[in-house]
Amino acid sequence: MTNNKYVLSWIEEMAAMTQPDKIVWIDGTDAQAEALRAEACSTGEIIKLNEELLPNCYLHRTAVNDVARVEGRTYICTPTKEEAGNVNNWMDPNEMYAKLKKLYTGSMKGRTMYVIPYSMGVVGSDFAKYGIELTDSIYVVLNMLIMTRVGTNVLEALGDSPDYIKGLHARADIDEENRYIVHFPQDNTIMSVNSGYGGNVLLGKKCFALRIASYLGRKENWMAEHMLILGVEYPNGEIKYITAAFPSACGKTNLAMLIPPEIYRKKGFKVWCVGDDIAWLRVNKEDGKLYAVNPENGFFGVAPGTNEKSNPNALHTCLRDTIFTNVVHDTKNNTVWWEGLNDNPPAPEYAIDWKGNPWDYRKYDKKDKLGTSGAHPNSRFTALAKNCPCISSEFDSLTGVPVSAIVFGGRRAKTAPLVYQSFNWQHGAFVGSIMASETTAAAAGALGVVRRDPMAMRPFVGYNMGDYWKHWLDMGKIIPNAPLIFHVNWFRTDDEGNFIWPGFGDNMRVLEWILARCEGKVDAVETAIGYVPKPEDINIEGLDLSLDTLKDLLSVDTESWKADIANIKDFYNMVGDHVPAEMWEELAALEARLG
Ligand code: OXD
Ligand code: MN
């Protein structure tokens, strides 16, 4: 399919090591995908679901020990440890290559190696970057066909160039002790072994589009971020775009596919989804604004909790052409189910849980979610973006969309108000650097344990975190018309631990204020942490929420901020001596303002 000598010699070398029985090139055609689906069904790797209810949908179960990303086994192998920094795991590249060689040698014996040429971004656009993933898993091929743009046109666009990201994935023995997800940024190489779980093996996603891309972005003056992208359409048809970074499992997909409350819909407001997980951002030379694309082609969303109320758009997206992973199989209707889908779990005689065992929903115990739930809490749907009812008409844009606002967010019971605006780009980057989430009582034993997750990129920066912050500061200097930077917190709780803000579609009310700030159309109150809305400027029409409660939501709890400062200092010290002086200055200034 190509004469590119760099590609051919690399594949030859990888095949000599892994020793597959045969090599199959993925061409992106429906005919080939259909044949692979049939083959995977025949071996039980995937199960075809009810064609009438869920057309072209399949179910897959991973190994029980292989259900999530493994941060502890994810490495950034730069030549020096300093380049990878203190937040990443690091090993000397030569040592790591030697270790991996042992694990890969002969790992594809008796198996087929699939060669997947794929693009992150629209093929041929200025944003696009190309990759080739070698894998011995049909499940990976079928997921990559949804999540990325795959086919011979990628090889044509690459031509004779050596400029592509190499990715090697082998399932090997799915051995947790020898599971490695490794990045060699200097070699444009990703190696993943002993896993079959999406986040570890769909190498275009976290590995390429965040870790390797963040490294490339720093070299080439652009940004790869863990951000959703959405467009708010006003009644006059104008659309303004927002990107937002929240830690994993804080509702990025829900916000990206938000349906505005009725009072907004009646006026003609709409929200369009450009992306739910990753944004690549570049400065547009013509208007000096920051433009964003979603480099992916699909959504790898968390299934549990997705329902007609929380996210109808996501639910409708995954009613066709979808691969479900680790959800409940309803064998009566040959469909799927997960916790939070509806109140009708399949009857025990027809229910198979994510492990492949008979499952009785009546034994579900909140305190032992993992042991008793039918779907794994991290079970997923892999669905095509183009099937999303609210997908933006700019999804395939070659230039991307102009970003008015960047929003950071976390899950904080008390510290962060509903929304605040940073004073300027540098302060905004600081706000991103101190992002954090607290564990909830429901999710883990300890309540209120703070995990700092700068820009929601803690597990995804492909180099030193301090240098990444410096890159943020540097980018601010080369964007003539930079977006404004905000912080939101949908998760503030009352003294009984109940969420105060309704969230979901009502988050539209906060987005409206954010965009009004960007347009200079609304005033704000200056506080120690940034600009906070005047309570009367957040539209609460139609909400069961008083102005006093809104005041509480917007108040700055000085004592909890002061208490947070020590935690931030510890974190900065852990990140180490690459933390830019500007960030320490911002921290000192915040401390002084808090008094
Ligand atoms: C994801 C994640 O899967 O952030 O998107 O963990
Ligand atoms: Mn993510």
Side-chain angles (χ1 to χ4, degrees):
M1 285 211 315
T2 180
N3 293 318
N4 183 312
K5 62 177 195 270
Y6 304 102
V7 171
L8 295 176
S9 66
W10 170 65
I11 294 176
E12 202 177 312
E13 195 190 332
M14 295 303 105
M17 176 166 73
T18 53
Q19 302 162 28
D21 279 11
K22 58 177 182 175
I23 298 179
V24 171
W25 289 70
I26 302 302
D27 58 15
T29 60
D30 286 342
Q32 187 186 44
E34 196 46 45
L36 287 170
R37 286 191 279 260
E39 185 181 339
C41 284
S42 74
T43 60
E45 187 175 348
I46 58 175
I47 295 166
K48 169 127 184 78
L49 298 167
N50 187 320
E51 182 60 25
E52 250 147 61
L53 298 174
L54 295 169
N56 196 27
C57 290
Y58 295 82
L59 170 65
H60 170 80
R61 294 187 201 104
T62 65
V64 173
N65 73 0
D66 188 27
V67 292
R69 286 186 293 103
V70 279
E71 289 175 21
R73 309 206 64 93
T74 300
Y75 285 78
I76 303 293
C77 293
T78 42
T80 65
K81 173 160 171 48
E82 195 176 352
E83 285 164 273
N86 296 334
V87 177
N88 286 312
N89 300 310
W90 175 85
M91 198 184 285
D92 173 75
N94 294 324
E95 201 181 316
M96 182 57 97
Y97 275 126
K99 186 187 262 300
L100 291 174
K101 188 166 186 189
K102 283 192 197 136
L103 298 173
Y104 280 112
T105 297
S107 63
M108 294 191 190
K109 269 188 194 153
R111 304 176 65 87
T112 300
M113 174 192 273
Y114 299 96
V115 180
I116 314 171
Y118 68 96
S119 174
M120 300 313 291
V122 179
V123 180
S125 69
D126 285 350
F127 280 88
K129 296 265 176 199
Y130 307 127
I132 295 185
E133 176 163 354
L134 309 179
T135 177
D136 58 355
S137 157
I138 296 183
Y139 171 73
V140 169
V141 174
L142 298 176
N143 274 271
M144 287 293 283
L145 284 166
I146 297 171
M147 293 305 296
T148 71
R149 295 163 169 95
V150 174
T152 39
N153 60 339
V154 174
L155 293 169
E156 281 155 23
L158 180 63
D160 297 330
S161 165
D163 193 12
Y164 70 99
I165 305 301
K166 308 177 185 99
L168 175 65
H169 164 245
R171 286 172 51 83
D173 305 315
I174 312 288
D175 169 8
E176 309 173 71
E177 301 298 319
N178 281 305
R179 186 167 296 154
Y180 287 97
I181 319 299
V182 187
H183 309 73
F184 301 93
Q186 274 84 354
D187 301 343
N188 283 339
T189 296
I190 304 160
M191 297 178 93
S192 161
V193 67
N194 274 308
S195 176
Y197 168 76
N200 300 327
V201 299
L202 307 179
L203 301 184
K205 193 173 178 63
K206 303 298 188 181
C207 300
F208 177 170
L210 287 177
R211 298 194 190 97
I212 296 287
S214 63
Y215 176 88
L216 294 175
R218 177 176 172 233
K219 270 205 316 204
E220 300 166 2
N221 289 329
W222 56 281
M223 305 164 90
E225 299 296 332
H226 192 196
M227 289 176 176
L228 66 91
I229 310 166
L230 64 80
V232 173
E233 182 175 332
Y234 288 83
N236 68 2
E238 211 186 345
I239 303 180
K240 298 282 175 196
Y241 294 92
I242 294 176
T243 65
F246 305 148
S248 305
C250 281
K252 280 210 308 295
T253 305
N254 289 346
L255 186 65
M257 299 180 187
L258 175 152
I259 295 183
E262 201 185 336
I263 57 150
Y264 283 85
R265 291 201 307 274
K266 275 194 180 148
K267 286 187 208 151
F269 281 91
K270 289 188 190 115
V271 170
W272 300 105
C273 172
V274 183
D276 79 326
D277 196 41
I278 298 176
W280 284 2
L281 303 141
R282 283 178 184 268
V283 187
N284 183 296
K285 289 198 188 71
E286 270 154 46
D287 62 12
K289 292 183 184 167
L290 192 64
Y291 275 64
V293 299
N294 168 11
E296 301 192 279
N297 192 50
F299 308 117
F300 185 60
V302 175
T306 305
N307 60 50
E308 201 56 74
K309 191 158 168 277
S310 67
N311 194 338
N313 284 318
L315 197 62
H316 287 263
T317 307
C318 65
L319 292 180
R320 58 178 60 247
D321 310 316
T322 296
I323 301 171
F324 296 95
T325 301
N326 292 343
V327 297
V328 177
H329 190 194
D330 173 346
T331 56
K332 181 169 184 208
N333 302 309
N334 194 20
T335 57
V336 289
W337 190 85
W338 51 76
E339 278 71 17
L341 172 63
N342 54 39
D343 292 331
N344 308 309
E349 57 272 39
Y350 298 113
I352 305 289
D353 69 9
W354 67 274
K355 296 179 188 153
N357 299 324
W359 175 70
D360 185 342
Y361 69 88
R362 292 166 304 193
K363 300 204 173 122
Y364 178 73
D365 176 2
K366 238 184 167 171
K367 285 192 237 85
D368 179 20
K369 242 186 173 175
L370 198 57
T372 61
S373 64
H376 188 278
N378 190 36
S379 54
R380 299 279 176 151
F381 55 82
T382 319
L384 281 167
K386 70 169 202 278
N387 287 343
C388 178
C390 62
I391 198 70
S392 162
S393 58
E394 298 299 307
F395 176 73
D396 279 324
S397 157
L398 299 180
T399 50
V401 295
V403 181
S404 298
I406 293 175
V407 180
F408 293 122
R411 186 184 276 270
R412 301 304 300 263
K414 293 276 175 278
T415 317
L418 180 62
V419 56
Y420 67 99
Q421 181 195 340
S422 65
F423 296 121
N424 51 48
W425 181 275
Q426 174 172 309
H427 178 240
F430 166 74
V431 168
S433 80
I434 64 167
M435 252 174 75
S437 261
E438 283 153 26
T439 50
T440 58
L447 179 69
V449 177
V450 178
R451 173 180 149 103
R452 304 232 86 94
D453 189 353
M455 287 83 171
M457 285 286 280
R458 185 178 180 137
F460 306 122
V461 179
Y463 57 102
N464 190 309
M465 182 63 80
D467 294 338
Y468 166 72
W469 293 346
K470 177 77 173 38
H471 180 51
W472 263 86
L473 297 173
D474 290 344
M475 285 298 298
K477 294 173 193 143
I478 62 163
I479 315 171
N481 295 312
L484 302 186
I485 302 179
F486 298 79
H487 187 282
V488 298
N489 175 26
W490 316 133
F491 301 98
R492 212 150 161 171
T493 53
D494 61 19
D495 293 337
E496 279 82 52
N498 305 306
F499 294 125
I500 310 175
W501 179 247
F504 299 104
D506 288 309
N507 292 335
M508 176 70 200
R509 301 166 190 272
V510 175
L511 300 185
E512 188 187 22
W513 182 81
I514 286 174
L515 288 172
R517 285 296 290 169
C518 296
E519 302 281 295
K521 286 186 182 151
V522 66
D523 211 356
V525 184
E526 186 170 338
T527 72
I529 63 168
Y531 299 113
V532 172
K534 294 181 169 169
E536 61 273 23
D537 288 334
I538 299 277
N539 181 355
I540 50 171
E541 187 191 336
L543 268 191
D544 183 18
L545 189 101
S546 70
L547 200 60
D548 276 343
T549 311
L550 186 60
K551 276 185 193 150
D552 276 352
L553 276 166
L554 294 171
S555 66
V556 179
D557 182 342
T558 310
E559 289 316 307
S560 65
W561 275 92
K562 283 187 186 165
D564 213 29
I565 297 273
N567 185 289
I568 297 170
K569 283 186 185 162
D570 286 349
F571 182 63
Y572 272 25
N573 281 321
M574 190 275 275
V575 172
D577 52 15
H578 285 232
V579 174
E582 292 90 331
M583 293 300 192
W584 281 110
E585 284 158 22
E586 288 291 345
L587 181 57
L590 170 64
E591 201 172 4
R593 287 192 303 265
L594 289 167

